[in-house]
Amino acid sequence: MLDNLTQRLARVMKTLKGEARLTESNIADALREVRMALLEADVALPVVKDFISAVKEKAVGEEVIGSLSPGQALVGVVHRELARLMGEAHEGISFATQPPAIVLMAGLQGAGKTTTVGKLGKFLKETQKKKVLVVSCDVYRPAAIEQLKSVAGQAGIDFFPSSAGEKPEAIALAAADWARRHYHDVLLVDTAGRLAIDEEMMAEIKRLHAALNPIETLFVVDAMLGQDAVNTARAFNEALPLTGVVLTKLDGDARGGAALSVRHVTGKPIKFAGVGEKLSGLEAFHPERMASRILGMGDVLSLIEEAKKGLDEEKAVAFAKKLKSGKGFDLNDFKDQIGQMRKMGGMTALLDKMPAQVAQMAGQLPVGAENKMVGRVEGIINSMTPAERAKPEIIKASRKRRIAAGAGVQVQDVNRLLNQFEQSQKMMKQLTKGGIGKLMRGMKGMLPGMGR
Amino acid sequence: MFSFFKKTGQEPQPPESAPASAPSWRERLFQGLAKTRAQWGGKLKTIFSRGKVDDELLEELESMLLTSDVGIEATQFLLDDLKGRAKRDKLDTPEAIQQALAGAFVDLVGPLEKPLDIENHRPFVIMIAGVNGAGKTTSIGKLAKYFQDQGKSVLLAAGDTFRAAAREQLQAWGERNNVTVISQESGDPAAVIFDAIAAAKARGIDVVLADTAGRLPTQLHLMEEIAKVRRVIQKVDPTGPHETLLVLDANIGQNALQQVKAFDKAVQVTGLVVTKLDGTAKGGVVAAIARQCPKPIRFIGVGEGIDDLRPFSAKDFVDALFE
């Protein structure tokens, strides 16, 4: 999401070379670029101003020590500042109360509150083994209650029925009572979307908050939000004692400056990030990782976590052995690899988390090509017999025709795959000898031509 | 934003050929954007009170525009335009500067005013696209009402087969406005819309509004899905869809531009609906769009009421900001 900002900063920092110390004049250009980049990323202007002046103050006079370039020294300062702005480490939902722990959701229309309720419910149920009840106090939008009911069903959590004719407070209190009597650990309260300037609606949610006295009041905010994020966040923060923020639609290509703005204005931790349309798409938000990611240091920690989730441990071990021996890497393994990459969210998701240089290189690919390509490759391999997969060299003209027909592709595509496979076999050997650097170089040659 | 357009001099002339419903709509538009104006209050007055276009004024104006989501490029353009006007016309009173900026703004967004003409096809098929939570389904409800008020028969296609209860939401709208909604238990959005258009043809309906599920431009498989919806519409009606509307949430920042570009690539967007314009710092994104990826703005929404979605009029819009 924030990759454009990353690239931009990377470019700026290159221009700062060969200076012994950071001065007001030699970082002026760089800071202007940072300012532009942040503004383009929809970070609110007041936040940008504060940020730039803080960075300037800290950067000026900073010695460029040792092997660092001035650019790197400035990146260091920007990173520290950004990490500070993004806040402390992730905090989950607090359960420090007599059950049920009530969580109230608030936000603008279309921020993703209902979906987030479903995701959060599933998350709490599956990762923390909580008994979750959800209730909708949105008596305004048609079928909003219906939507939550259906979301709750998909998430496998309990749903407290309500109807559009009731008062939001009455619904919420009835649900809290029900949760108490049925030993639910958590009650998630969905509310109607509202504009911060809609006094009547803000008063309603204030009353709702007073009646429920929730342990968590989460502000759900769209990561794509523009400059107004500041005003909206401020208004909600003033109206309600917020305890945290949920950032939604983080998988879009918005640069997500709203995250910085909201954090800066409310001072409340961003607790979760919503990604993807599936109910499993809720991640703990890691401010320090986000700061690193903005600066192109790559979100390697998340990548490792993803890998752990997605990979079949046994297979990975077996594969590592094969890799080490440099022998026996056949099309079956190739297919497994593709499958595992899929599980980890596909190539795009992986590249997103890599350091800027790598992502930049891969970014030259046409968008979407890699996903399509992966599917096609899988199809071709699926059309082969086990013997062919184990020994691709036996595939000659007639087999190629059969495989092509089976996969619904041209013979050339089969040829291309076989060539690529040969290349990747070589790559695997390089990897065992030369490490990741060579591997990346190998990939560069291999990717763009694939799967047309 | 835009309180800087507030005229201290004479009132703006109402458009001569204003339709009968215009006053109340204009009022609502004014009201919707009133909060926007109030927010800036005297600040802009202070800026303009300098009485000449100098660096300080430009810098303060730049901040003002940037915080209104106008975006860097369009801001630069507007400021350059203002500078040009200042040189040419010797702007030396606050009012003159204000008018010049308003003029620059009208020139910028004026070309986006192209009302939707639904007379040339029957059924006139309108496909609605947008990201999650932009207000697609709600806009469809309002559009249905709008077309009905013009004496058109309307049919809705519940093409959002993904989101929970999207179908029910549309059906609720349909019931309220007495409009037929074509939906299926689940399944393929393209199939639902195909059925709807076929039904519209059989029943001689004037306008078909086809809802689709929200999707982010980065979800490539979903972007392909919506491209398919478009192709399927063309199968049942080779001239359709006669309009492909992208619904944009005015709260969205510069990502709105990305959305226009991505959806245009997938489904050839022919018009925009800008929703949720009532609020605080909104409206600037309209300028950014005019500058960087101009598409006709067919409708804008400035409130929650069913009548609060209306055709975009650059003059009314800027007038409302002028007051």
Side-chain angles (χ1 to χ4, degrees):
Chain A
M1 51 165 283
L2 287 152
D3 50 359
N4 298 331
L5 178 54
T6 305
Q7 288 172 10
R8 188 145 190 174
L9 282 178
R11 238 194 350 264
V12 177
M13 295 317 167
K14 271 189 203 141
T15 62
L16 273 185
K17 271 188 184 147
E19 308 259 349
R21 140 199 304 268
L22 297 177
T23 64
E24 203 151 321
S25 62
N26 69 12
I27 60 168
D29 279 346
L31 285 180
R32 193 169 311 129
E33 282 295 320
V34 173
R35 176 175 183 266
M36 291 294 237
L38 291 172
L39 281 172
E40 273 183 2
D42 288 324
V43 179
L45 188 65
V47 182
V48 174
K49 280 186 175 158
D50 287 0
F51 182 75
I52 296 290
S53 65
V55 168
K56 199 167 169 186
E57 197 178 297
K58 289 190 181 147
V60 170
E62 184 115 334
E63 298 277 342
V64 180
I65 339 160
S67 59
L68 286 180
S69 71
Q72 284 164 331
L74 183 60
V75 168
V77 180
V78 172
H79 178 249
R80 276 202 301 279
E81 210 36 45
L82 210 51
R84 195 182 62 82
L85 181 60
M86 290 297 230
E88 321 79 51
H90 160 73
E91 306 165 39
I93 295 285
S94 166
F95 292 101
T97 179
Q98 200 173 357
I102 298 176
V103 181
L104 181 67
M105 314 293 263
L108 297 175
Q109 290 96 337
K113 285 177 298 303
T114 307
T115 307
T116 301
V117 166
K119 286 180 175 180
L120 186 57
K122 190 178 162 76
F123 178 86
L124 293 174
K125 179 182 172 235
E126 286 176 2
T127 63
Q128 307 193 12
K129 307 277 175 261
K130 299 291 181 191
K131 190 177 176 194
V132 182
L133 181 70
V134 296
V135 63
S136 172
C137 295
D138 185 352
V139 295
Y140 307 96
R141 202 190 65 190
I145 296 170
E146 195 65 25
Q147 185 188 351
L148 185 67
K149 183 179 177 186
S150 146
V151 163
Q154 285 167 29
I157 50 182
D158 297 332
F159 169 77
F160 185 82
S162 49
S163 76
E166 297 171 77
K167 280 243 161 60
E169 285 160 84
I171 296 172
L173 287 174
D177 187 48
W178 174 274
R180 208 167 290 124
R181 282 190 286 116
H182 292 79
Y183 307 107
H184 284 92
D185 300 308
V186 192
L187 171 64
L188 303 178
V189 183
D190 189 17
T191 61
R194 63 201 74 221
L195 285 172
I197 49 163
D198 188 333
E199 281 160 29
E200 209 175 299
M201 289 296 281
M202 291 308 277
E204 181 206 273
I205 200 160
K206 271 192 225 176
R207 283 198 306 275
L208 204 53
H209 182 274
L212 281 171
N213 192 21
I215 179 130
E216 294 273 4
T217 306
L218 299 180
F219 177 48
V220 181
V221 61
D222 188 332
M224 297 185 288
L225 216 54
Q227 294 287 329
D228 205 38
V230 167
N231 302 318
T232 306
R234 186 177 295 127
F236 272 92
N237 194 40
E238 276 164 11
L240 294 168
L242 299 179
T243 58
V245 176
V246 181
L247 209 57
T248 61
K249 305 181 208 171
L250 207 54
D251 54 329
D253 54 1
R255 302 187 200 169
L260 268 76
S261 307
V262 170
R263 164 73 204 170
H264 183 75
V265 169
T266 62
K268 300 292 156 49
I270 299 173
K271 296 201 169 190
F272 295 99
V275 288
E277 74 269 41
K278 295 203 186 87
L279 281 180
S280 55
L282 188 77
E283 295 176 351
F285 183 80
H286 298 278
E288 74 288 0
R289 292 187 196 174
M290 187 76 149
S292 299
R293 191 161 141 183
I294 293 172
L295 290 175
M297 296 171 179
D299 188 1
V300 179
L301 282 175
S302 286
L303 184 64
I304 294 170
E305 227 166 65
E306 284 287 303
K308 269 196 204 145
K309 250 195 276 173
L311 280 180
D312 183 331
E313 196 108 353
E314 255 171 55
K315 269 189 187 165
V317 172
F319 180 66
K321 261 191 194 156
K322 267 193 184 172
L323 257 188
K324 279 228 173 95
S325 71
K327 270 177 244 158
F329 175 71
D330 61 20
L331 279 168
N332 279 316
D333 302 311
F334 198 55
K335 196 183 138 211
D336 279 349
Q337 286 286 293
I338 292 170
Q340 300 200 334
M341 204 162 80
R342 271 246 166 106
K343 271 195 214 157
M344 286 160 71
M347 195 98 162
T348 334
L350 288 188
L351 286 175
D352 216 26
K353 298 195 167 77
M354 299 256 193
Q357 303 89 305
V358 179
Q360 238 165 355
M361 197 181 81
Q364 293 155 0
L365 299 179
V367 183
E370 63 273 15
N371 282 335
K372 215 172 197 175
M373 160 197 100
V374 166
R376 198 167 290 179
V377 166
E378 223 176 354
I380 296 175
I381 299 179
N382 281 338
S383 301
M384 297 178 182
T385 66
E388 285 165 350
R389 285 180 213 168
K391 279 182 96 176
E393 52 275 18
I394 64 169
I395 303 175
K396 296 284 184 276
S398 156
R399 284 177 192 264
K400 278 179 191 168
R401 274 199 300 279
R402 193 203 77 240
I403 294 165
V409 296
Q410 301 293 312
V411 173
Q412 292 97 298
D413 294 316
V414 180
N415 278 333
R416 205 171 289 141
L417 168 68
L418 291 172
N419 278 336
Q420 276 152 10
F421 172 67
E422 216 171 288
Q423 272 183 27
S424 55
Q425 248 180 338
K426 275 186 209 149
M427 235 169 69
M428 290 302 166
K429 278 182 197 150
Q430 276 180 359
L431 179 64
T432 48
K433 287 180 205 149
I436 196 93
K438 270 192 180 170
L439 176 75
M440 291 322 293
R441 243 168 291 153
M443 262 177 81
K444 196 178 182 183
M446 161 188 164
L447 282 170
M450 272 179 110
R452 278 296 137 75
Chain B
M1 65 176 288
F2 305 139
S3 55
F4 47 75
F5 294 149
K6 196 184 284 179
K7 268 191 188 169
T8 40
Q10 81 276 25
E11 287 296 310
Q13 298 298 315
E16 285 168 6
S17 59
S21 59
S24 69
W25 163 244
R26 278 169 63 86
E27 255 166 48
R28 240 194 305 264
L29 183 67
F30 277 52
Q31 202 188 350
L33 295 166
K35 287 141 187 165
T36 307
R37 282 192 307 268
Q39 199 199 354
W40 296 111
K43 206 170 172 188
L44 276 159
K45 232 180 217 166
T46 332
I47 297 179
F48 287 126
S49 71
R50 299 180 61 78
K52 59 176 192 270
V53 179
D54 56 10
D55 285 349
E56 199 166 322
L57 179 136
L58 289 172
E59 195 173 308
E60 284 182 44
L61 211 51
E62 183 189 31
S63 302
M64 209 57 82
L65 291 168
L66 285 175
T67 45
S68 315
D69 284 328
V70 173
I72 290 174
E73 164 142 19
T75 298
Q76 208 51 54
F77 177 81
L78 282 171
L79 291 180
D80 287 347
D81 193 342
L82 181 66
K83 264 188 266 178
R85 283 170 200 250
K87 250 195 203 138
R88 211 171 47 232
D89 306 333
K90 291 211 177 56
L91 306 172
D92 47 11
T93 62
E95 291 79 21
I97 301 172
Q98 198 167 294
Q99 263 170 24
L101 187 62
F105 197 87
V106 175
D107 287 353
L108 183 59
V109 301
L112 300 187
E113 181 187 333
K114 284 183 197 137
L116 184 58
D117 177 21
I118 58 163
E119 301 297 340
N120 49 0
H121 289 284
R122 192 162 174 232
F124 192 87
V125 179
I126 303 178
M127 179 175 162
I128 316 279
V131 300
N132 315 64
K136 285 178 297 303
T137 308
T138 306
S139 295
I140 286 179
K142 292 179 181 177
L143 284 175
K145 177 86 186 333
Y146 172 79
F147 289 128
Q148 271 188 322
D149 288 349
Q150 296 188 336
K152 303 288 175 196
S153 54
V154 182
L155 187 136
L156 307 182
D160 185 352
T161 53
F162 181 81
R163 202 195 72 196
R167 192 164 46 101
E168 284 80 357
Q169 187 181 346
L170 202 61
Q171 275 167 344
W173 272 108
E175 267 165 41
R176 253 185 233 179
N177 301 291
N178 211 9
V179 177
T180 317
V181 179
I182 301 285
S183 64
Q184 289 175 0
E185 267 308 308
S186 63
D188 188 28
V192 179
I193 293 170
F194 185 96
D195 281 359
I197 297 171
K201 279 189 164 172
R203 299 179 200 180
I205 299 281
D206 297 318
V207 183
V208 177
L209 291 163
D211 195 11
T212 62
R215 62 202 75 223
L216 296 175
T218 45
Q219 294 162 335
L220 299 164
H221 58 295
L222 294 180
M223 293 308 278
E224 265 174 41
E225 181 195 85
I226 199 169
K228 179 188 162 194
V229 170
R230 187 186 154 85
R231 285 197 301 274
V232 169
I233 290 176
Q234 278 168 336
K235 253 181 211 166
V236 60
D237 188 344
T239 59
H242 308 106
E243 178 77 4
T244 306
L245 287 177
L246 176 66
V247 180
L248 287 176
D249 180 340
N251 289 298
I252 297 303
Q254 300 308 303
N255 189 242
L257 301 172
Q258 250 72 44
Q259 288 175 22
V260 174
K261 286 175 193 159
F263 277 96
D264 192 31
K265 206 170 140 207
V267 292
Q268 285 119 63
V269 173
T270 53
L272 304 176
V273 178
V274 182
T275 61
K276 310 184 204 174
L277 261 169
D278 52 332
T280 46
K282 291 123 192 199
V285 77
V286 170
I289 290 168
R291 183 75 196 128
Q292 277 167 285
C293 42
K295 289 276 172 194
I297 298 179
R298 307 292 196 188
F299 297 92
I300 59 173
V302 293
E304 302 213 321
I306 193 160
D307 294 322
D308 288 340
L309 189 74
R310 289 296 186 84
F312 173 71
S313 146
K315 185 167 166 41
D316 277 5
F317 186 67
V318 177
D319 276 355
L321 304 163
F322 256 88
E323 199 182 47

